[in-house]
Amino acid sequence: MAKPIITLNGLKIVIMLGMLVIILTGIRFAADIIVPFVLALFIAVVLNPVVQLMTRWRIPRVLAISLLICLIIMVAVLLLASLGTSLNELARTLPQYRSSLHVPLQNIQPWLERFGVTVSADELIKYIDPNAAMTFVTSLLTQLSNAMSSIFLLLLTVVFMLLEVPQLPAKLQQLMVKPTEGMAAIQRAIQSVSHYLVLKTAISLVTGLVAWGMLEALGVRFAFVWGLLAFALNYIPNIGSVLAAIPPILQVLVFGGFYQALIVLAGYLLINLLFGNILEPRIMGRGLGLSTLVVFLSLIFWGWLLGPVGMLLSVPLTIVVKIALEQTIGGRSIAVLLSDLSDK
């Protein structure tokens, strides 16, 4: 009698894994549709506390949402205009990089030869094609000009989500078998995600502003672009701040020299130490409830599934999945694996 039970359990696991593969494949193929919806959902989660605060000031909800969206559109237009100007200037200066790289490569050549690495600066220069970089920047500018329509549709989706918030709890309660437990789990997920996103946005904004100010003080060109990059990539856990530091350091190494690049590197290390390792853990409080390994693996998984937006939202998406798993008997063991037991 034991063998059929084992076979049945094994068959159920295989069927569940097959269904999971089908669902994930469908999500990946439908990423162009799902990603804007997910992004709009998380933006609505961040903005809803602001809307609720404005309604407490006796501002009608529709007017509060309209004022908030208008403010966001104005800020977005100003940022895109400044970014477009900076990228245009960057595209014009890219041909200078090839001639400027010759001197740093010649300086590095004797240092590499000490370690038995024989390279020729003249040969390396031949492989550097500024036209490829110019093509990339030009395509980026084209995508930037086409981004306004996507941003408009995204914000329109956010508006309808925010308008739907007062009616949403009643609708969800009617769909649930256990409304009390289900609504408590949804409320906990919203609070966790909102807490993380609001604090992460504030820390990322300060990080970007400090990086911009540091680069401006050191006279680094395109400081605004690198500050904006530091703000955006700071949402990516573990590796985002490292990736944001690479372009400005390489730029300073080419145009400013080795010692100025070391100063910029030290500045980024100080910023990441102060905000990433000291300030952020204290402000976040008890932690995310996720282990460090799970945070890193979630970055890879959601990046594969949803692209760059999945990498930016990897932590809140994993938090939602973990809370959802905790509501089922079979999923609680998986939720324990995702948890950071040191927080308890």
Side-chain angles (χ1 to χ4, degrees), residues 144-223:
L144 196 62
S145 62
N146 296 331
M148 290 306 297
S149 58
S150 301
I151 291 173
F152 175 76
L153 292 175
L154 180 69
L155 291 177
L156 195 61
T157 307
V158 172
V159 168
F160 284 113
M161 286 181 175
L162 290 173
L163 291 174
E164 190 73 15
V165 167
Q167 304 174 12
L168 196 58
K171 292 181 179 180
L172 291 175
Q173 284 180 346
Q174 294 179 7
L175 295 174
M176 294 176 182
V177 179
K178 298 179 179 179
T180 304
E181 296 178 3
M183 289 305 298
I186 291 175
Q187 188 64 30
R188 188 156 62 91
I190 291 174
Q191 287 178 352
S192 300
V193 171
S194 179
H195 175 78
Y196 172 80
L197 287 176
V198 169
L199 292 179
K200 191 69 173 178
T201 300
I203 294 170
S204 299
L205 182 61
V206 174
T207 302
L209 289 173
V210 172
W212 179 23
M214 177 197 70
L215 295 175
E216 283 284 359
L218 294 174
V220 178
R221 301 178 68 183
F222 316 116

Side-chain angles (χ1 to χ4, degrees), residues 24 38 49 53 67 77 97 100 117 169 188 223 227:
L24 293 178
V38 172
L53 180 63
L67 291 174
V77 168
Y97 277 73
S100 301
V117 180
R188 188 156 62 91

Side-chain angles (χ1 to χ4, degrees), residues 285-301:
R286 216 168 140 253
L288 304 172
L290 302 173
S291 69
T292 306
L293 177 62
V294 169
V295 171
F296 181 72
L297 293 179
S298 69
L299 172 67
I300 299 173
F301 173 76

